[in-house]
Amino acid sequence: MLKSYRYRLKPTKSQVTILERQLELCRFVYNDTLAYRKNAWELEQRTVKRFETQDRLPQLKLEVPELKEVYSLVLQNVALRVELAFKAFFRRVKNGEEPGYPRFKGKGRYDSLSYTQSGFKLDSKVLSLSKIGDIKIKLHRPIEGKIKTCTIRRMPTGKWFACLSVEIKDAPLPPWKDGSVVGIDVGLASFATLSNGEKIANPRFFREEEKELARVQRKLSKAPKGTPERKAALKVVERVRERIANKRIDFANQVGHKLVDRFGVIVFEDLDIMNMLKNHNLAKSISDVAWGMLVKATESKAAYAGSKVVLVDPKYTSQICSRCGLIVKKDLSERVHSCSECGLSMDRDLNAAINILRLGMQSLRKSDRSPAL
């Protein structure tokens, strides 16, 4: 099983210059590889694979000697990224989604380097990178397992981070506990409602920072393009955005951690969030709560803790009566579920959470279910 760690880097000014130059060289290789594959199809009707683009790298280094400043496996990873971009494009075409053909990277739009097999070495205080040197690193927590890859990323605010992918042993399944299953209905009024009746309040991080973000964006729009004032104003905007994102990530991780500690099986709805964002009346609020981030955080922590996350079809979970099964139609504004058949009256989200739990337990094999059920 793979687990990722992220640590803050403290490069010197000269190292920042080297890193930014290498990012631009990788951007050049990315655009050149994309152009090569695009032209091969348009002119020759020929499909180019990753290994062919990687075989071009030695010749490309002869034409552009500056590419020798970048570690060879980092350049090979650039070709892999182009391959993955095309695979995602063909997958979207096959599924009937909006395709989104791979695009060329503009200046400053390439922001990470990946050392996939070698070329890096981690010490207690420094991270040694081939062709770059020793960079100070803040190891705020110990690493468990064997490091497989290292990705250096530049954030929009100018901060640098090292993202380490580590291989660890699969966690043993914990013993079942009474009541260790839960269904969760995510929403806007409440961030989440658990099938046991608990509610998690919606933090609304973007709404809290919206006025501040609007203020710094107005200042950015007034700064003349190409001036140091605009560059400084842009960094302030990025800091506000980063603060909002960090709050969301921290909140999702905290909630996911608490869920995994308490429950052995956690059931969510498999929501099509991108389709839900097409509702312009709710798009801002849906983006603010970041339900997908909660599910991903819970899945990663559950895998490490030996718990199980189940995703179920969200169809009619809010309409079906959790007691008798009758479909009770209701608008989004109706917050109470009232069944005319069995007389059940309860919170709409709690009724949905109970239905989600039922669907999740039905989808599990009998051997995976809690003895308490």
Short mmCIF file of all heavy atoms in Angstrom, two decimals, residues 147-189:
data_model
loop_
_atom_site.label_atom_id
_atom_site.label_comp_id
_atom_site.label_asym_id
_atom_site.label_seq_id
_atom_site.Cartn_x
_atom_site.Cartn_y
_atom_site.Cartn_z
N ILE A 147 10.68 4.79 0.70
CA ILE A 147 10.34 5.87 -0.22
C ILE A 147 10.50 5.39 -1.66
O ILE A 147 11.54 4.87 -2.04
CB ILE A 147 11.24 7.10 0.03
CG1 ILE A 147 11.09 7.59 1.47
CG2 ILE A 147 10.88 8.22 -0.94
CD1 ILE A 147 12.02 8.73 1.82
N LYS A 148 9.45 5.57 -2.45
CA LYS A 148 9.46 5.12 -3.85
C LYS A 148 9.68 6.28 -4.83
O LYS A 148 10.44 6.14 -5.79
CB LYS A 148 8.15 4.41 -4.19
CG LYS A 148 7.81 3.26 -3.27
CD LYS A 148 8.80 2.13 -3.39
CE LYS A 148 8.65 1.38 -4.71
NZ LYS A 148 9.55 0.22 -4.78
N THR A 149 9.00 7.39 -4.62
CA THR A 149 9.14 8.55 -5.52
C THR A 149 9.21 9.83 -4.71
O THR A 149 8.77 9.88 -3.57
CB THR A 149 7.95 8.63 -6.51
OG1 THR A 149 6.75 8.88 -5.77
CG2 THR A 149 7.82 7.37 -7.33
N CYS A 150 9.74 10.86 -5.35
CA CYS A 150 9.84 12.18 -4.73
C CYS A 150 9.44 13.23 -5.76
O CYS A 150 10.01 13.28 -6.86
CB CYS A 150 11.27 12.43 -4.24
SG CYS A 150 11.56 14.10 -3.62
N THR A 151 8.46 14.04 -5.42
CA THR A 151 7.99 15.11 -6.30
C THR A 151 8.22 16.45 -5.62
O THR A 151 7.80 16.66 -4.49
CB THR A 151 6.51 14.95 -6.64
OG1 THR A 151 6.31 13.71 -7.33
CG2 THR A 151 6.01 16.08 -7.53
N ILE A 152 8.89 17.36 -6.32
CA ILE A 152 9.14 18.71 -5.83
C ILE A 152 8.12 19.63 -6.47
O ILE A 152 8.02 19.70 -7.71
CB ILE A 152 10.56 19.19 -6.16
CG1 ILE A 152 11.59 18.14 -5.72
CG2 ILE A 152 10.84 20.53 -5.51
CD1 ILE A 152 11.54 17.79 -4.25
N ARG A 153 7.35 20.35 -5.65
CA ARG A 153 6.28 21.19 -6.20
C ARG A 153 6.42 22.63 -5.73
O ARG A 153 6.70 22.88 -4.57
CB ARG A 153 4.91 20.65 -5.76
CG ARG A 153 3.78 21.41 -6.43
CD ARG A 153 2.43 20.88 -6.05
NE ARG A 153 1.37 21.64 -6.71
CZ ARG A 153 0.09 21.56 -6.42
NH1 ARG A 153 -0.32 20.75 -5.46
NH2 ARG A 153 -0.80 22.28 -7.06
N ARG A 154 6.20 23.54 -6.66
CA ARG A 154 6.16 24.97 -6.36
C ARG A 154 4.72 25.41 -6.25
O ARG A 154 3.92 25.22 -7.16
CB ARG A 154 6.86 25.76 -7.48
CG ARG A 154 6.81 27.28 -7.30
CD ARG A 154 7.34 27.98 -8.54
NE ARG A 154 6.55 27.67 -9.72
CZ ARG A 154 6.94 27.89 -10.98
NH1 ARG A 154 8.12 28.42 -11.21
NH2 ARG A 154 6.15 27.57 -11.99
N MET A 155 4.37 26.04 -5.13
CA MET A 155 3.01 26.52 -4.92
C MET A 155 2.86 27.92 -5.53
O MET A 155 3.86 28.63 -5.74
CB MET A 155 2.69 26.56 -3.43
CG MET A 155 2.88 25.22 -2.73
SD MET A 155 1.86 23.90 -3.43
CE MET A 155 0.23 24.44 -2.91
N PRO A 156 1.64 28.34 -5.82
CA PRO A 156 1.43 29.69 -6.38
C PRO A 156 1.96 30.81 -5.49
O PRO A 156 2.30 31.89 -5.97
CB PRO A 156 -0.09 29.78 -6.52
CG PRO A 156 -0.55 28.36 -6.65
CD PRO A 156 0.38 27.57 -5.79
N THR A 157 2.05 30.55 -4.17
CA THR A 157 2.55 31.57 -3.25
C THR A 157 4.08 31.63 -3.21
O THR A 157 4.64 32.47 -2.51
CB THR A 157 2.04 31.29 -1.83
OG1 THR A 157 2.38 29.95 -1.46
CG2 THR A 157 0.54 31.47 -1.75
N GLY A 158 4.75 30.72 -3.95
CA GLY A 158 6.21 30.71 -3.95
C GLY A 158 6.82 29.72 -2.97
O GLY A 158 8.04 29.59 -2.90
N LYS A 159 5.98 29.01 -2.21
CA LYS A 159 6.49 27.99 -1.29
C LYS A 159 6.85 26.72 -2.07
O LYS A 159 6.26 26.44 -3.11
CB LYS A 159 5.44 27.67 -0.23
CG LYS A 159 5.08 28.84 0.66
CD LYS A 159 3.98 28.45 1.64
CE LYS A 159 3.55 29.63 2.50
NZ LYS A 159 2.43 29.28 3.41
N TRP A 160 7.81 25.96 -1.53
CA TRP A 160 8.24 24.72 -2.15
C TRP A 160 7.99 23.56 -1.19
O TRP A 160 8.23 23.66 0.01
CB TRP A 160 9.72 24.79 -2.52
CG TRP A 160 10.02 25.78 -3.59
CD1 TRP A 160 10.25 27.12 -3.43
CD2 TRP A 160 10.12 25.53 -4.99
NE1 TRP A 160 10.48 27.72 -4.64
CE2 TRP A 160 10.41 26.77 -5.62
CE3 TRP A 160 10.00 24.40 -5.79
CZ2 TRP A 160 10.58 26.89 -6.99
CZ3 TRP A 160 10.17 24.52 -7.16
CH2 TRP A 160 10.45 25.75 -7.76
N PHE A 161 7.49 22.45 -1.75
CA PHE A 161 7.20 21.27 -0.95
C PHE A 161 7.77 20.03 -1.61
O PHE A 161 7.90 19.96 -2.85
CB PHE A 161 5.70 21.08 -0.77
CG PHE A 161 5.06 22.07 0.16
CD1 PHE A 161 4.55 23.28 -0.32
CD2 PHE A 161 4.96 21.81 1.52
CE1 PHE A 161 3.96 24.19 0.53
CE2 PHE A 161 4.37 22.72 2.38
CZ PHE A 161 3.88 23.91 1.89
N ALA A 162 8.13 19.04 -0.79
CA ALA A 162 8.53 17.73 -1.27
C ALA A 162 7.42 16.75 -0.94
O ALA A 162 7.01 16.63 0.23
CB ALA A 162 9.83 17.29 -0.62
N CYS A 163 6.89 16.06 -1.95
CA CYS A 163 5.85 15.07 -1.76
C CYS A 163 6.46 13.69 -1.96
O CYS A 163 6.90 13.37 -3.08
CB CYS A 163 4.70 15.29 -2.73
SG CYS A 163 3.94 16.93 -2.60
N LEU A 164 6.50 12.89 -0.91
CA LEU A 164 7.15 11.58 -0.94
C LEU A 164 6.10 10.49 -0.95
O LEU A 164 5.20 10.47 -0.09
CB LEU A 164 8.07 11.41 0.26
CG LEU A 164 9.13 12.50 0.46
CD1 LEU A 164 9.91 12.26 1.75
CD2 LEU A 164 10.07 12.56 -0.72
N SER A 165 6.20 9.58 -1.91
CA SER A 165 5.32 8.42 -1.97
C SER A 165 6.06 7.25 -1.32
O SER A 165 7.15 6.89 -1.74
CB SER A 165 4.96 8.09 -3.41
OG SER A 165 4.13 6.95 -3.48
N VAL A 166 5.44 6.65 -0.31
CA VAL A 166 6.09 5.63 0.51
C VAL A 166 5.29 4.33 0.44
O VAL A 166 4.06 4.34 0.50
CB VAL A 166 6.21 6.11 1.97
CG1 VAL A 166 6.83 5.03 2.84
CG2 VAL A 166 7.03 7.38 2.03
N GLU A 167 6.00 3.23 0.32
CA GLU A 167 5.36 1.91 0.30
C GLU A 167 5.38 1.34 1.72
O GLU A 167 6.43 1.24 2.35
CB GLU A 167 6.11 0.97 -0.64
CG GLU A 167 5.42 -0.36 -0.84
CD GLU A 167 6.15 -1.24 -1.83
OE1 GLU A 167 7.37 -1.45 -1.66
OE2 GLU A 167 5.51 -1.72 -2.79
N ILE A 168 4.20 1.00 2.22
CA ILE A 168 4.08 0.44 3.57
C ILE A 168 3.33 -0.88 3.50
O ILE A 168 2.68 -1.20 2.50
CB ILE A 168 3.33 1.41 4.51
CG1 ILE A 168 1.93 1.69 3.99
CG2 ILE A 168 4.11 2.70 4.69
CD1 ILE A 168 1.09 2.54 4.90
N LYS A 169 3.42 -1.63 4.57
CA LYS A 169 2.71 -2.90 4.63
C LYS A 169 1.22 -2.64 4.82
O LYS A 169 0.82 -1.68 5.48
CB LYS A 169 3.23 -3.74 5.80
CG LYS A 169 4.67 -4.20 5.63
CD LYS A 169 5.11 -5.05 6.80
CE LYS A 169 6.56 -5.51 6.63
NZ LYS A 169 7.01 -6.33 7.79
N ASP A 170 0.40 -3.54 4.25
CA ASP A 170 -1.05 -3.40 4.41
C ASP A 170 -1.42 -3.53 5.88
O ASP A 170 -0.90 -4.40 6.60
CB ASP A 170 -1.79 -4.48 3.61
CG ASP A 170 -1.67 -4.24 2.12
OD1 ASP A 170 -1.26 -3.13 1.75
OD2 ASP A 170 -1.96 -5.16 1.34
N ALA A 171 -2.30 -2.65 6.33
CA ALA A 171 -2.71 -2.66 7.74
C ALA A 171 -3.63 -3.84 8.00
O ALA A 171 -4.50 -4.16 7.18
CB ALA A 171 -3.41 -1.36 8.08
N PRO A 172 -3.48 -4.52 9.15
CA PRO A 172 -4.39 -5.62 9.47
C PRO A 172 -5.78 -5.09 9.80
O PRO A 172 -5.93 -3.99 10.31
CB PRO A 172 -3.74 -6.24 10.71
CG PRO A 172 -2.99 -5.12 11.34
CD PRO A 172 -2.49 -4.27 10.19
N LEU A 173 -6.80 -5.89 9.47
CA LEU A 173 -8.17 -5.48 9.76
C LEU A 173 -8.40 -5.49 11.27
O LEU A 173 -8.08 -6.47 11.95
CB LEU A 173 -9.16 -6.42 9.08
CG LEU A 173 -9.23 -6.33 7.55
CD1 LEU A 173 -10.15 -7.40 7.02
CD2 LEU A 173 -9.71 -4.96 7.12
N PRO A 174 -8.96 -4.41 11.83
CA PRO A 174 -9.21 -4.38 13.27
C PRO A 174 -10.42 -5.24 13.62
O PRO A 174 -11.25 -5.54 12.78
CB PRO A 174 -9.51 -2.90 13.53
CG PRO A 174 -10.10 -2.43 12.24
CD PRO A 174 -9.40 -3.19 11.15
N PRO A 175 -10.56 -5.67 14.88
CA PRO A 175 -11.75 -6.44 15.27
C PRO A 175 -12.99 -5.57 15.20
O PRO A 175 -12.95 -4.37 15.40
CB PRO A 175 -11.43 -6.84 16.72
CG PRO A 175 -10.46 -5.80 17.20
CD PRO A 175 -9.64 -5.44 15.99
N TRP A 176 -14.13 -6.22 14.91
CA TRP A 176 -15.38 -5.48 14.83
C TRP A 176 -15.78 -4.96 16.21
O TRP A 176 -15.55 -5.60 17.22
CB TRP A 176 -16.49 -6.37 14.29
CG TRP A 176 -16.43 -6.57 12.82
CD1 TRP A 176 -16.02 -7.69 12.15
CD2 TRP A 176 -16.78 -5.63 11.82
NE1 TRP A 176 -16.10 -7.50 10.80
CE2 TRP A 176 -16.56 -6.25 10.56
CE3 TRP A 176 -17.24 -4.32 11.85
CZ2 TRP A 176 -16.81 -5.61 9.37
CZ3 TRP A 176 -17.49 -3.67 10.65
CH2 TRP A 176 -17.28 -4.32 9.44
N LYS A 177 -16.40 -3.79 16.21
CA LYS A 177 -16.94 -3.22 17.44
C LYS A 177 -18.44 -3.03 17.25
O LYS A 177 -18.91 -2.83 16.13
CB LYS A 177 -16.28 -1.87 17.75
CG LYS A 177 -14.79 -1.94 17.99
CD LYS A 177 -14.20 -0.56 18.17
CE LYS A 177 -14.27 0.24 16.89
NZ LYS A 177 -13.59 1.55 17.01
N ASP A 178 -19.19 -3.08 18.34
CA ASP A 178 -20.64 -2.85 18.25
C ASP A 178 -20.91 -1.46 17.69
O ASP A 178 -20.31 -0.47 18.11
CB ASP A 178 -21.27 -2.98 19.63
CG ASP A 178 -21.29 -4.43 20.11
OD1 ASP A 178 -21.15 -5.31 19.24
OD2 ASP A 178 -21.43 -4.66 21.31
N GLY A 179 -21.82 -1.41 16.74
CA GLY A 179 -22.19 -0.12 16.16
C GLY A 179 -21.09 0.49 15.31
O GLY A 179 -21.00 1.71 15.21
N SER A 180 -20.23 -0.33 14.70
CA SER A 180 -19.09 0.21 13.98
C SER A 180 -19.38 0.44 12.50
O SER A 180 -18.49 0.36 11.68
CB SER A 180 -17.89 -0.72 14.13
OG SER A 180 -18.19 -1.99 13.59
N VAL A 181 -20.63 0.66 12.13
CA VAL A 181 -20.98 0.99 10.76
C VAL A 181 -21.78 2.29 10.77
O VAL A 181 -22.49 2.59 11.73
CB VAL A 181 -21.81 -0.13 10.09
CG1 VAL A 181 -21.00 -1.39 9.95
CG2 VAL A 181 -23.08 -0.41 10.89
N VAL A 182 -21.65 3.07 9.70
CA VAL A 182 -22.35 4.36 9.66
C VAL A 182 -22.62 4.73 8.20
O VAL A 182 -21.81 4.44 7.31
CB VAL A 182 -21.52 5.47 10.35
CG1 VAL A 182 -20.26 5.79 9.58
CG2 VAL A 182 -22.35 6.73 10.56
N GLY A 183 -23.77 5.33 7.97
CA GLY A 183 -24.09 5.92 6.68
C GLY A 183 -24.03 7.43 6.81
O GLY A 183 -24.45 7.98 7.84
N ILE A 184 -23.50 8.10 5.81
CA ILE A 184 -23.29 9.55 5.89
C ILE A 184 -23.94 10.23 4.69
O ILE A 184 -23.64 9.91 3.54
CB ILE A 184 -21.79 9.88 5.94
CG1 ILE A 184 -21.16 9.23 7.17
CG2 ILE A 184 -21.56 11.39 5.97
CD1 ILE A 184 -19.66 9.44 7.27
N ASP A 185 -24.80 11.19 5.01
CA ASP A 185 -25.43 12.02 3.98
C ASP A 185 -24.79 13.40 4.04
O ASP A 185 -24.89 14.10 5.06
CB ASP A 185 -26.93 12.13 4.21
CG ASP A 185 -27.60 13.06 3.19
OD1 ASP A 185 -27.55 12.74 1.99
OD2 ASP A 185 -28.15 14.10 3.61
N VAL A 186 -24.10 13.80 2.97
CA VAL A 186 -23.47 15.12 2.94
C VAL A 186 -24.47 16.13 2.40
O VAL A 186 -25.35 15.80 1.60
CB VAL A 186 -22.19 15.11 2.07
CG1 VAL A 186 -21.12 14.26 2.72
CG2 VAL A 186 -22.49 14.63 0.66
N GLY A 187 -24.34 17.38 2.86
CA GLY A 187 -25.29 18.40 2.44
C GLY A 187 -24.72 19.79 2.58
O GLY A 187 -23.52 19.97 2.82
N LEU A 188 -25.59 20.78 2.43
CA LEU A 188 -25.20 22.18 2.53
C LEU A 188 -25.63 22.81 3.84
O LEU A 188 -24.88 23.58 4.44
CB LEU A 188 -25.79 22.96 1.35
CG LEU A 188 -25.35 22.52 -0.05
CD1 LEU A 188 -26.04 23.36 -1.12
CD2 LEU A 188 -23.84 22.64 -0.20
N ALA A 189 -26.84 22.49 4.31
CA ALA A 189 -27.28 23.02 5.59
C ALA A 189 -26.36 22.52 6.70
O ALA A 189 -25.88 23.28 7.55
CB ALA A 189 -28.73 22.62 5.86
#
